[in-house]
Amino acid sequence: MLEVIQAKLKEKPSRKDLEVVIVYPFNTETKEIFLIQEYIHSYARKFWKFVSGGVDKVDKDILTHAIEELAEEVAMESDVFLHLYSSERVFGNRPMHYFIAENPVIMENPPENPDEDYITDSKWVNEEEFQKMLDAKELQWDQGTMCALQAFRRYH
C-alpha cells in the first residue's frame, strides 16, 4: 500500500492542478516589462501574456521553475529574481507564484522549449504602454496584470 501512495506522489499533477509560475522580465533602467504574444493551441488564437509555466517537476522548487521558464520560453537569464507574490488555491483557482527577473540578458545556449504553444511576437513596454494595452483589452485584467502593475510600482 505504501508503494502505491509513494508512486502517486511522484506522478506529474494533471494540467488543471498544476501550480503556475509567472515571470516578469523587467529592465530597471528603462522601467519596462517584457511581454510575449503566444499562439495557444487550445484556444486557436494569439494572446499577449507573461512568461509562465506549470510547476511540473516534483523535485524542484518554484524559484527553479521560474528560472527555467525564463530560459525555455524567451532564452533569457537573470542574476536577480525577486518573489513578488504567491496566491493560494481559492475557489478552484490554481496557486500562482509571481517573480520579477531584473535586467535579464539573452542566453548564448538556451534550453529547448518543450511547450506546444509558440511565441509569435514579443516587446518591452513601459507602464503607460502597458495601461494602454489593458484599456484596449489586448491584455486580460486579472491577477497577473495586477501583479505586473505592482512590479512597475516597485521601480518608481
Side-chain angles (χ1 to χ4, degrees):
M1 180 67 161
L2 184 57
E3 293 84 18
V4 172
I5 293 170
Q6 288 174 335
K8 283 245 180 251
L9 291 175
K10 290 182 182 179
E11 286 179 12
K12 267 179 130 172
S14 74
R15 199 158 171 79
K16 67 179 178 53
D17 293 330
L18 287 179
E19 293 182 51
V20 175
V21 293
I22 308 287
V23 181
Y24 304 113
F26 199 93
N27 183 317
T28 61
E29 291 180 27
T30 63
K31 312 277 193 278
E32 292 176 315
I33 204 164
F34 188 74
L35 299 174
I36 57 176
Q37 186 181 61
E38 196 169 59
Y39 180 84
I40 303 190
H41 290 304
S42 58
Y43 292 98
R45 62 177 278 218
K46 299 175 190 175
F47 291 91
W48 281 104
K49 60 186 276 302
F50 309 104
V51 173
S52 62
V55 177
D56 57 357
K57 299 169 189 94
V58 294
D59 58 332
K60 295 184 180 179
D61 61 28
I62 58 169
L63 175 59
T64 302
H65 277 89
I67 291 167
E68 288 179 357
E69 284 302 325
L70 185 65
E72 290 173 1
E73 279 202 15
V74 293
M76 290 182 182
E77 61 187 346
S78 173
D79 291 334
V80 180
F81 267 78
L82 305 171
H83 179 250
L84 184 62
Y85 177 72
S86 285
S87 66
E88 300 177 42
R89 181 183 305 277
V90 179
F91 305 119
N93 293 332
R94 300 185 284 182
M96 307 286 278
H97 307 281
Y98 300 89
F99 291 88
I100 298 170
E102 285 187 352
N103 306 316
V105 296
I106 300 297
M107 301 174 76
E108 287 185 31
N109 297 308
E112 191 170 318
N113 188 353
D115 295 345
E116 293 177 15
D117 302 320
Y118 56 91
I119 295 172
T120 59
D121 200 0
S122 63
K123 62 183 174 180
W124 289 95
V125 297
N126 63 28
E127 188 173 2
E128 183 180 335
E129 294 163 328
F130 187 85
Q131 188 62 55
K132 285 179 183 176
M133 290 179 76
L134 275 171
D135 293 344
K137 297 184 177 31
E138 293 178 71
L139 288 168
Q140 288 186 346
W141 185 249
D142 60 12
Q143 184 171 278
T145 51
M146 287 188 282
C147 285
L149 288 170
Q150 285 300 106
F152 280 115
R153 290 192 173 90
R154 181 180 185 91
Y155 298 97
H156 274 278

